[in-house]
Every structure is written in C-alpha cells, then in structure tokens.
Amino acid sequence: SNHNLILEVSTEVPENLEFDEHRIDQVIENLLSNAIKYSPEQSPITIVVEADNYRCSVRVTDQGIGMSNEQKERIYDKFYRADTSNTAVRGLGLGMSIVKQIIDDHNGTISIDSKLSQGTSVCFTLPI
C-alpha cells in the first residue's frame, strides 16, 4: 500500500518488555491493517510508542473514514463489521473482539477515538 507509516518511539520505552510477542504482534498487525484499509492512499498513519513507570502505550492513528459513535460502541462485538456505504472494503472489526481479548489477557487497556470522516486513533496500553 502507498501509505506513509510514521513510527515515533519515546526514549522512556524500556528495551525489554514482558509480553506474548506473537499475540501483541497480532494486535499491531490488526490495527495497522485496519488503518491502511480505511484511509486514503498517501495519507499518513502514525504509530506512537510511549511509556511511564507503569505502562507502555501504543497508539495507531489514521486520517481515514472514521467511525460513528454507534460503530464505536459495537466495534468489540464478535463478528461486527463497521461497514459504511462509502467504502467497498469489508471486514473492519474482524478481530477487534480478539484484539480486546488479547489486551485484557495482558491486563492492559484499549480505547478508540474516532470521528466520521476525520480518522481513527486506537490506543492500547500494557503494564510494564
């Protein structure tokens, strides 16, 4: 895809973090593929990784089609897809319930900030 991926890692992020690498990879892959799928080509997608003494946070932000409040409320439902008429893409939400499960299993948190036509920002945190 022709997107600008911008990665920012703050200096406070420890070099070694304890988590299930394979499952957290799945989470990041899912968030990135959604961001790419639902935003215009050439548009920037930023990944910001930060940490304090207690947790590490990863935020993936796109400038894509965004979601309504109703879509946001249902995003973690199993099999829910935030299909919107202005895209031919199907399948956002495939896996958001799994993403939430993985983060919950790590005692982390996940939140979504999104406005229709203004993009989406998904942030998850993991305890350090």
Side-chain angles (χ1 to χ4, degrees):
S1 80
N2 298 319
H3 285 78
N4 273 327
L5 289 183
I6 302 155
L7 176 63
E8 299 172 19
V9 181
S10 84
T11 50
E12 295 86 52
V13 176
E15 281 192 22
N16 296 313
L17 290 167
E18 295 275 317
F19 55 77
D20 180 330
E21 194 177 336
H22 173 67
R23 295 185 80 209
I24 296 302
D25 270 354
Q26 281 182 302
V27 167
I28 292 171
E29 207 172 286
N30 189 289
L31 299 185
L32 275 179
S33 76
N34 282 343
I36 288 167
K37 216 187 287 185
Y38 291 96
S39 57
E41 290 213 355
Q42 314 294 341
S43 67
I45 293 168
T46 55
I47 304 137
V48 178
V49 186
E50 296 176 310
D52 59 23
N53 293 333
Y54 308 104
R55 62 196 155 260
C56 178
S57 71
V58 178
R59 181 182 294 277
V60 177
T61 305
D62 66 55
Q63 296 180 4
I65 59 173
M67 284 183 284
S68 65
N69 284 338
E70 184 204 358
Q71 288 170 324
K72 265 192 304 202
E73 277 167 24
R74 298 185 54 198
I75 196 70
Y76 301 119
D77 295 358
K78 256 198 168 96
F79 312 122
Y80 177 67
R81 289 158 192 257
D83 282 341
T84 50
S85 52
N86 61 347
T87 175
V89 180
R90 305 248 172 251
L92 176 68
L94 166 84
M96 278 310 277
S97 64
I98 295 164
V99 162
K100 183 159 175 32
Q101 187 62 61
I102 292 172
I103 299 301
D104 287 350
D105 289 348
H106 281 79
N107 297 315
T109 61
I110 184 163
S111 62
I112 297 180
D113 188 21
S114 184
K115 291 192 176 66
L116 267 181
S117 321
Q118 290 178 32
T120 300
S121 184
V122 182
C123 183
F124 69 87
T125 67
L126 299 171
I128 291 178

